[in-house]
Amino acid sequence: MSENDTFHKAFRGTFSSLLRWQQLDEFWNVVRRNAGAGWYLYAIGAPVPAHQSSAEDVVKFIAEIDKLLHSEHHEDYCGIVYTDSMEAPTLIKIFDPNNLGVSCGFSNNPPLPGWVMSLIPPQPIESRRPLPASRQRWWQTLWT
């Protein structure tokens, strides 16, 4: 199986939602403990990362995305972060609070996540929605 097939198969696989904020906090601790595992950080609509992120960049991304989710997802539950495993994740989908559409339930055109954390080298995910300028600036300021 090629990397392209491996990533897309994993991306379309089975995921569990981190429904409660406390669950998300606990999950981020799991990911932080494995920050040096070789994560790729991918903003859908931005170029696909060619290299794994450093442990420091993974920890920084988790802190900043957590801050963004808490400040922009005005619900008493989370429900917009999904993972293939709560204990040993290899792929994490993080949905943009400003582009949820129907992120749970059924839709013929479900929204794509805003960001993906993957231990599998990511492949391009075609989005009909360009990366909004505000998200592009947010993403770029993370790495400057």
Side-chain angles (χ1 to χ4, degrees), residues 1 6 13-14 16 20 34 53 57 62 79 81 87-88 90 112 140:
M1 185 179 291
T6 303
T14 302
S16 299
R20 296 182 318 275
N34 296 298
S53 296
D57 282 348
I62 291 170
V81 178
E87 298 83 28
T90 60
L112 290 172
Q140 289 170 343

Side-chain angles (χ1 to χ4, degrees), residues 76-126:
D76 59 357
Y77 59 89
C78 176
I80 57 176
V81 178
Y82 292 77
T83 182
D84 61 350
S85 170
M86 300 285 190
E87 298 83 28
T90 60
L91 202 138
I92 304 164
K93 296 179 182 181
I94 305 164
F95 287 83
D96 188 333
N98 293 322
N99 184 40
L100 292 178
V102 180
S103 60
C104 57
F106 176 77
S107 172
N108 287 330
N109 192 18
L112 290 172
W115 305 272
V116 172
M117 295 180 69
S118 178
L119 293 177
I120 303 164
Q123 299 300 312
I125 298 172
E126 297 301 320

Side-chain angles (χ1 to χ4, degrees), residues 11-95:
F11 186 82
R12 290 186 299 268
T14 302
F15 287 81
S16 299
S17 171
L18 294 138
L19 191 55
R20 296 182 318 275
W21 289 112
Q22 181 182 350
Q23 248 184 324
L24 181 63
D25 294 340
E26 292 165 4
F27 179 71
W28 285 145
N29 287 332
V30 170
V31 180
R32 279 187 201 96
R33 283 193 296 273
N34 296 298
W39 290 99
Y40 291 88
L41 305 175
Y42 178 27
I44 306 299
V48 176
H51 305 287
Q52 298 168 337
S53 296
S54 68
E56 294 80 19
D57 282 348
V58 170
V59 169
K60 179 180 181 180
F61 174 73
I62 291 170
E64 293 301 318
I65 197 70
D66 189 65
K67 193 183 317 178
L68 183 144
L69 295 177
H70 277 85
S71 68
E72 295 188 15
H73 188 54
H74 307 289
E75 304 293 342
D76 59 357
Y77 59 89
C78 176
I80 57 176
V81 178
Y82 292 77
T83 182
D84 61 350
S85 170
M86 300 285 190
E87 298 83 28
T90 60
L91 202 138
I92 304 164
K93 296 179 182 181
I94 305 164
F95 287 83

